[in-house]
Amino acid sequence: MVLLIKKFDDFILEFVQDNMRRPIMDKIMTFITALGNGGTLWIAIALYLIFYRGYKLTGIAVLMTLIVSTIFGEGIVKHVVRRVRPCNCKNNVQLLISKPISYSFPSGHTFSSFAVAGVLSAQFSEYKMIFLLIASLIAFSRLYLCVHYPTDIISGAVFGLLCAKLMILFFNCDYFQTNMLNIFNTNINLH
């Protein structure tokens, strides 16, 4: 099974590197991946929501989701699995970004992006496809830049969506609704 996963990862990664790398794509993917660095895009959206009347709690939900996904992905799973990144295993890789120092599995950019996209999609369902497209582009940029394997990306997306579901349940639970809504004096209905 492990050998099959390795063959799948190598095939997809080499296909992307051999067939999709172009100077314009290099610039686009470098920019897109930077949106996910440290949750930059998601923090900006959260701050906008916090200071925009009526969406304060949604902004806080986004920030908390980002924190939880980072703790779980970067702080726990990566240190349990300890998978070496493809850019550290392959000699002929020309990195377009600084070499990441953490482990590869799962992709933290993908994990946090899908987690936040899931929470935002629950609140703003009319923009669901946009949130998921942004998360998918950030995920693909990590593969394109050869800092993650496809299974790192896939697992990051799955973990992220599961994290989103758990955070939505938390934000909709009676305890949270009773105590936090009094503090923030606002309403939220995450589906």
Side-chain angles (χ1 to χ4, degrees):
M1 183 68 160
V2 173
L3 185 59
L4 186 62
I5 291 171
K6 182 173 176 14
K7 283 184 177 184
F8 169 79
D9 277 341
D10 288 341
F11 175 78
I12 299 295
L13 195 59
E14 287 172 18
F15 179 84
V16 170
Q17 298 303 304
D18 294 342
N19 297 294
M20 300 182 84
R21 294 288 295 259
R22 304 283 183 272
I24 187 69
M25 284 292 290
D26 291 352
K27 291 179 180 168
I28 292 169
M29 289 296 125
T30 302
F31 172 76
I32 289 172
T33 215
L35 294 175
N37 290 350
T40 304
L41 173 65
W42 308 118
I43 291 170
I45 290 171
L47 293 176
Y48 173 77
L49 292 171
I50 288 169
F51 295 109
Y52 184 75
R53 184 183 162 113
Y55 294 108
K56 188 181 296 183
L57 202 54
T58 303
I60 291 166
V62 167
L63 289 177
M64 287 182 67
T65 300
L66 193 59
I67 291 167
V68 168
S69 64
T70 300
I71 290 170
F72 186 72
E74 295 290 325
I76 298 172
V77 179
K78 280 192 181 196
H79 293 282
V80 170
V81 177
R82 303 176 81 123
R83 185 179 199 186
V84 178
R85 290 179 184 269
C87 58
N88 294 335
C89 295
K90 301 185 182 304
N91 297 329
N92 59 347
V93 174
Q94 177 193 3
L95 277 181
L96 302 172
I97 59 172
S98 300
K99 186 181 274 192
I101 57 172
S102 65
Y103 294 109
S104 189
F105 182 92
S107 165
H109 280 67
T110 304
F111 192 149
S112 60
S113 293
F114 274 89
V116 172
V119 169
L120 288 171
S121 294
Q123 179 64 33
F124 307 104
S125 59
E126 66 274 21
Y127 301 113
K128 179 179 185 174
M129 294 310 295
I130 293 171
F131 297 132
L132 293 175
L133 176 63
I134 292 169
S136 297
L137 287 171
I138 290 172
F140 179 75
S141 75
R142 306 305 284 169
L143 182 66
Y144 181 91
L145 295 169
C146 202
V147 293
H148 283 290
Y149 292 103
T151 50
D152 300 338
I153 303 301
I154 293 165
S155 64
V158 170
F159 286 148
L161 293 173
L162 289 172
C163 180
K165 290 284 187 193
L166 291 173
M167 294 305 289
I168 290 165
L169 287 173
F170 172 74
F171 279 94
N172 281 328
C173 75
D174 289 338
Y175 172 81
F176 184 82
Q177 293 288 323
T178 302
N179 295 305
M180 294 304 281
L181 291 180
N182 290 334
I183 292 170
F184 294 107
N185 196 22
T186 185
N187 287 323
I188 187 171
N189 184 18
L190 294 175
H191 305 289

